Amino acid sequence: MNYILIIHSIFRWFILLFGLWAVFNAIKGITGNKIYTGSDNKVSLFFMTCCDIQLLIGLILYFNGPWFNMLKNNTKEVMKNSAERFFAMEHIVMMLIAWALVHIGRSAVKRSTTDKQKHKRSLIYFGIALLIILAMIPWPFRQPGIARALFPQF
């Protein structure tokens, strides 16, 4: 049993929770002209920290699992198979982009001078990152070979 994959699968829920929370706070802040509070800052910090931990776990899985070696040894065949391509290329590249957006967004929010600007940047960067994350999770309704269970089997 691959316990690292189980942890990776469970940890996505923390990312989704804090990502949705950060985006929801940004929407509330923009529409309600609210100040950017320490709570808003903590939620974005938790979102970024969860993304960092998930990235570390994902990189361990990627470089110790079959995907990297398959891509390295037989790139053409991997690219022809949509399920193999998803895990060997699409998932990791898009998740790295989402991770970068979260970090860039957090930095942009810190540099912002007004509360409205902080909420707006939070919404843009965290919102786009969250959309990418949602699109790249191997949900159960995805095609066979990509689909994974909502909760891992122990």
Side-chain angles (χ1 to χ4, degrees):
M1 182 176 293
N2 191 343
Y3 290 107
I4 297 174
L5 182 59
I6 291 171
I7 293 168
H8 190 67
S9 295
I10 291 170
F11 217 77
R12 73 174 144 189
W13 298 108
F14 292 107
I15 289 176
L16 293 176
L17 170 74
F18 287 116
L20 287 169
W21 193 353
V23 169
F24 181 69
N25 280 353
I27 292 169
K28 276 188 356 186
I30 291 170
T31 59
N33 260 345
K34 298 188 184 261
I35 62 168
Y36 191 85
T37 64
S39 174
D40 295 321
N41 186 48
K42 285 179 185 172
V43 170
S44 71
L45 176 64
F46 290 147
F47 181 42
M48 184 183 74
T49 303
C50 287
C51 287
D52 289 345
I53 294 168
Q54 186 75 326
L55 173 67
L56 182 63
I57 296 167
L59 289 174
I60 291 168
L61 279 170
Y62 187 73
F63 289 109
N64 289 317
W67 306 115
F68 179 68
N69 286 328
M70 287 172 57
L71 187 64
K72 186 171 67 172
N73 296 330
N74 203 354
T75 306
K76 287 183 183 179
E77 290 303 314
V78 169
M79 292 303 175
K80 289 179 185 175
N81 183 316
S82 63
E84 289 177 3
R85 183 180 61 242
F86 177 81
F87 288 108
M89 284 293 295
E90 295 168 7
H91 182 73
I92 189 166
V93 169
M94 294 306 289
M95 290 301 193
L96 283 169
I97 291 169
W99 175 84
L101 283 170
V102 170
H103 276 266
I104 293 167
R106 179 127 167 87
S107 179
V109 168
K110 282 177 158 181
R111 286 180 305 189
S112 299
T113 54
T114 66
D115 292 326
K116 185 169 183 136
Q117 193 178 41
K118 288 180 182 193
H119 286 299
K120 194 173 190 179
R121 288 182 177 176
S122 292
L123 179 60
I124 292 167
Y125 285 101
F126 299 156
I128 293 170
L130 189 60
L131 286 174
I132 292 171
I133 291 167
L134 286 168
M136 288 294 111
I137 290 175
W139 297 108
F141 54 81
R142 304 261 331 224
Q143 72 186 51
I146 294 175
R148 300 289 189 260
L150 284 177
F151 297 98
Q153 305 297 318
F154 294 99

